[in-house]
Amino acid sequence: MTNKQRNISPSVMKEDKTLDLALRPQTFSDYVGQEKIKKNIKIIISAAKKRKEPCIEHLLFYGGSGLGKTTLSYLVAKEMGAGIRTIAGPSIKKAGDLAAILTNLKEGDVLFIDELHRMNKICEEMIYPAMEEFKLHLIIGDGPMARTMDLKIPKFTLIGATTRLALLSSPMRSRFGATFRIDIYKKEEIEEIITKSAAFLGVSIHKKAVDIIASRSRFNPRVANRLLKRVRDFSDVEGNGSITVDDANKALAFLDIDEMGLESGDKKVLETLEEKFSGGPVGLQSLAVASLEEKETILDIYEPYLVQIGFVKRTPRGRVITDKARNYLKK
Ligand SMILES: Nc1ncnc2c1ncn2[C@@H]1O[C@H](COP(=O)(O)OP(=O)(O)O)[C@@H](O)[C@H]1O
Ligand SMILES: [Mg+2]
């Protein structure tokens, strides 16, 4: 299994695309948790409506994969009654492509740019005047004859999403009216998401089975939905159609996810930290080399969760294992 295919990976896998779409909340009230963010956004939208403005200030969402950035962006557009155009940062390579997208927007539309930190510099420069004054500065011709021309574009709202705020340039960051950090969820919230998703999929599930899946979901909605789907498949084949505690336990054991939500990759990182570096502190680079993992995988997948459950601490001198993790490894 490659890292990308891991069951606990929060990034989009092939099968998630349809699952994400099917289970994506259609209203703010179905969007579980993130209460403060929802409240703030509703205020921003009603204030703009009251002032009869065609769009709202540009919004930036940041947080790990699968935590609901895309979903939230669609809900914002819906709440505004606006159209939404989605592009992925790395997919627009030429300034001309971006110019075409911007000039084709309708007044009031939302332009959602996913993975904004991966958009190239030329496009970034082009989008600043678009964000600030709804204009494009075009350069016509080249050499000494070159001249610039300003082109007006429709007023729009940019919503940017990124998993890596630190990789976004500060001029880019400063052009957003509001920035929201989407945090991992509380266990009760994940339970609510699983319960709603099960109802949507038309499958009955025991309350305790919901609890088991939630505990192993890394508190990430995408992972939770994916595990629910795997458990349901298992229960359809091996069980009686209704998801029982036994189904959940067996399916998750089969998927090699233990009761802490850890997979073999997490354990390898922990063991490497303990055995090869006497528990640390150790830098990311050395840890990656010694555990035969990519730096990004540790950074995006393993570490956030290991830190969250108190198994690893990040100190200025590097990663350190905790007693809690040592006790876990001894088992
Ligand atoms: N707050 C939430 N409430 C309910 N379901 C959610 C929530 N956030 C995410 N999800 C579920 O997780 C899936 C992945 O969310 P998505 O918005 O695509 O994450 P991101 O864009 O941050 O990677 C969604 O399709 C949805 O099913
Ligand atoms: Mg997304």
Side-chain angles (χ1 to χ4, degrees):
M1 217 185 255
T2 68
N3 294 323
K4 287 232 153 55
Q5 291 168 323
R6 285 188 201 289
N7 294 303
I8 47 75
S9 161
S11 26
V12 185
M13 302 198 294
K14 222 167 153 198
E15 63 170 76
D16 290 329
K17 288 204 175 134
T18 37
L19 195 65
D20 267 11
L21 272 180
L23 298 178
R24 182 158 282 159
Q26 299 299 320
T27 62
F28 263 109
S29 53
D30 283 337
Y31 190 87
V32 177
Q34 315 293 355
E35 298 304 333
K36 257 198 192 144
I37 299 180
K38 284 196 283 187
K39 199 166 165 195
N40 264 308
I41 289 176
K42 279 186 185 160
I43 292 172
I44 292 174
I45 297 176
S46 0
K49 275 191 182 156
K50 218 168 176 180
R51 291 191 298 261
K52 301 213 168 6
E53 283 164 3
C55 39
I56 59 172
E57 54 199 306
H58 306 302
L59 306 179
L60 179 63
F61 296 144
Y62 76 97
S65 276
L67 294 183
K69 299 180 296 300
T70 302
T71 307
L72 196 54
S73 307
Y74 277 79
L75 290 177
V76 170
K78 200 164 186 185
E79 182 87 4
M80 288 166 67
I84 181 164
R85 174 82 213 260
T86 301
I87 47 179
S91 74
I92 21 173
K93 301 206 167 65
K94 288 185 293 201
D97 297 344
L98 183 61
I101 290 164
L102 289 168
T103 48
N104 277 312
L105 291 171
K106 289 196 197 64
E107 174 145 306
D109 273 356
V110 168
L111 174 64
F112 174 54
I113 308 187
D114 209 357
E115 298 186 75
L116 186 61
H117 62 278
R118 292 178 59 200
M119 192 164 77
N120 72 37
K121 278 277 166 277
I122 299 167
C123 293
E124 203 179 310
E125 296 286 334
M126 171 172 259
I127 214 160
Y128 295 154
M131 290 172 80
E132 284 179 327
E133 330 162 80
F134 305 110
K135 269 185 193 162
L136 293 181
H137 293 316
L138 300 177
I139 300 168
I140 318 247
D142 56 352
M145 295 300 285
R147 54 196 176 86
T148 61
M149 191 188 90
D150 279 355
L151 185 69
K152 262 179 83 175
I153 56 166
K155 287 188 175 156
F156 71 103
T157 299
L158 179 71
I159 302 184
T162 180
T163 46
R164 292 280 179 80
L165 188 68
L167 296 185
L168 217 55
S169 73
S170 55
M172 181 60 120
R173 270 191 261 174
S174 67
R175 280 174 171 82
F176 286 93
T179 298
F180 297 104
R181 175 193 157 124
I182 320 256
D183 251 323
I184 34 176
Y185 290 71
K186 297 195 193 77
K187 188 168 164 234
E188 306 84 72
E189 293 167 342
I190 294 290
E191 287 177 357
E192 191 181 336
I193 292 174
I194 295 172
T195 308
K196 280 187 167 149
S197 297
F200 183 86
L201 295 170
V203 43
S204 81
I205 179 166
H206 283 242
K207 219 172 164 320
K208 190 79 197 0
V210 172
D211 174 276
I212 290 169
I213 299 174
S215 316
R216 303 187 190 188
S217 69
R218 303 185 158 230
F219 309 115
N220 181 303
R222 180 176 289 132
V223 177
N225 282 336
R226 186 191 299 144
L227 294 184
L228 170 66
K229 185 170 163 277
R230 294 277 161 86
V231 172
R232 181 191 64 168
D233 290 346
F234 194 88
S235 157
D236 279 349
V237 176
E238 306 265 322
N240 61 5
S242 159
I243 301 174
T244 62
V245 171
D246 199 38
D247 291 335
N249 276 328
K250 277 189 187 150
L252 292 163
F254 180 72
L255 295 171
D256 185 31
I257 300 168
D258 75 6
E259 64 288 348
M260 289 297 297
L262 301 186
E263 248 190 8
S264 54
D266 302 286
K267 288 177 214 161
K268 194 166 72 185
V269 170
L270 283 178
E271 281 160 7
T272 307
L273 183 54
E274 176 66 357
E275 287 159 19
K276 298 202 174 133
F277 301 99
S278 324
V282 59
L284 177 63
Q285 182 72 41
S286 315
L287 186 60
V289 171
S291 56
L292 306 176
E293 288 286 356
E294 303 212 347
K295 241 166 46 178
E296 282 69 30
T297 313
I298 296 187
L299 213 52
D300 292 340
I301 298 180
Y302 303 132
E303 194 172 75
Y305 185 61
L306 292 173
V307 168
Q308 196 209 348
I309 60 173
F311 272 21
V312 169
K313 268 206 299 229
R314 291 175 67 161
T315 72
R317 289 172 54 225
R319 279 78 183 156
V320 184
I321 202 164
T322 64
D323 288 339
K324 199 173 164 194
R326 284 200 165 109
N327 290 333
Y328 165 86
L329 286 178
K330 274 186 214 137
K331 273 194 229 152

